[in-house]
Amino acid sequence: MSGFTGFENPTTPYREKPLNLGDIILRPASTFIYQKAHSDTSALVRKDDWVVVDASMKPESTDLVLAEQYGEQSIVPLAKIHNIQSELTVIGTATAIIRHHRPAPPLPKGKLQQELHPALIPMPAAAFLSKAKGSRMAGLGIRDNSLLIVRRDVDYQQGDLAVVYADNAFQCRLLNLSNGTLDDGLGIQTPITGPLAIEGVVTASISFQRQVIPQWQA
């Protein structure tokens, strides 16, 4: 007697695979995270940012790269290196920048591809990913097309970036609770006139420097 008891679900091949942040690590053996540990005048990478660096990827003219000079490492545009006369070594190509809008968690110490997602999203059932559109939040560190990590297990507080429902739309705004406003990166403040509908706190955002997987950047 056959063990076949039913028909295969015809939608199975078309179901989307759940998004996993580890998928942005295309070459695990040659990819690591560079964490900026100090502040400087560079607007490209801020203190505590995690930069995903692929040491095996050949950089292109528009890429950001991790370079070392006199024992100091930094993220610089590849185009800028051509204007530097002193010795400088390119270590790898930056494929993504993870910016923390809450205190950064400990860096993953094991296999990056498996540990990146739980490091950034410790409670998957209480979090979601969203795509930022437009440049209104660029002044607060969120670039156009950034991937937002939004967590509902985190209590919101003064100064947080959050996804809110306002003016019949979902928006990413800074919670200026002491002033009673929702602020954007341009300095525009919108008064909070009713109950505040907060969908979650934006704890981190990811800006892609290279196309990783089409579904992440569509």
Side-chain angles (χ1 to χ4, degrees):
M1 180 176 178
S2 172
F4 182 75
T5 58
F7 294 101
E8 180 182 1
N9 188 333
T11 67
T12 299
Y14 303 98
R15 291 178 181 174
E16 291 188 359
K17 177 185 175 183
L19 294 178
N20 188 303
L21 297 177
D23 291 342
I24 71 175
I25 311 298
L26 298 183
R27 303 175 181 86
S30 61
T31 302
F32 60 94
I33 287 179
Y34 164 78
Q35 183 174 24
K36 190 176 181 64
H38 56 83
S39 299
D40 57 27
T41 58
S42 171
L44 298 174
V45 181
R46 298 181 180 178
K47 183 178 182 294
D48 293 330
D49 282 353
W50 290 1
V51 183
V52 180
V53 178
D54 188 339
S56 69
M57 180 179 289
K58 182 179 180 180
E60 298 178 354
S61 59
T62 56
D63 279 333
L64 297 178
V65 297
L66 175 62
E68 182 172 311
Q69 184 180 34
Y70 304 129
E72 294 288 334
Q73 295 182 350
S74 60
I75 299 293
V76 295
L78 180 64
K80 183 178 179 180
I81 291 179
H82 299 313
N83 299 323
I84 298 177
Q85 301 299 322
S86 56
E87 184 177 346
L88 188 147
T89 302
V90 173
I91 298 173
T93 302
T95 60
I97 298 175
I98 302 172
R99 177 152 294 166
H100 300 282
H101 305 288
R102 276 289 189 94
L107 277 169
K109 295 182 179 180
K111 295 182 178 180
L112 185 58
Q113 195 172 43
Q114 284 75 41
E115 295 187 11
L116 182 61
H117 191 87
L120 296 172
I121 306 180
M123 294 184 63
F128 63 92
L129 302 175
S130 183
K131 179 71 72 67
K133 289 295 184 182
S135 58
R136 287 188 63 173
M137 296 299 288
L140 295 173
I142 295 181
R143 298 168 55 186
D144 184 29
N145 285 324
S146 290
L147 191 69
L148 307 182
I149 298 172
V150 188
R151 292 176 54 184
R152 291 179 168 136
D153 61 308
V154 175
D155 293 331
Y156 67 84
Q157 59 190 25
Q158 166 69 21
D160 271 339
L161 297 181
V163 173
V164 301
Y165 188 74
D167 298 328
N168 298 315
F170 292 102
Q171 305 174 18
C172 179
R173 293 291 182 267
L174 183 143
L175 302 180
N176 192 345
L177 303 177
S178 61
N179 194 47
T181 58
L182 300 175
D183 302 355
D184 66 14
L186 300 175
I188 298 174
Q189 298 180 318
T190 303
I192 301 172
T193 57
L196 191 56
I198 297 179
E199 297 299 315
V201 175
V202 179
T203 55
S205 58
I206 304 175
S207 60
F208 295 100
Q209 308 304 305
R210 277 292 195 98
Q211 180 168 328
V212 182
I213 299 175
Q215 66 172 330
W216 292 84
Q217 296 166 280

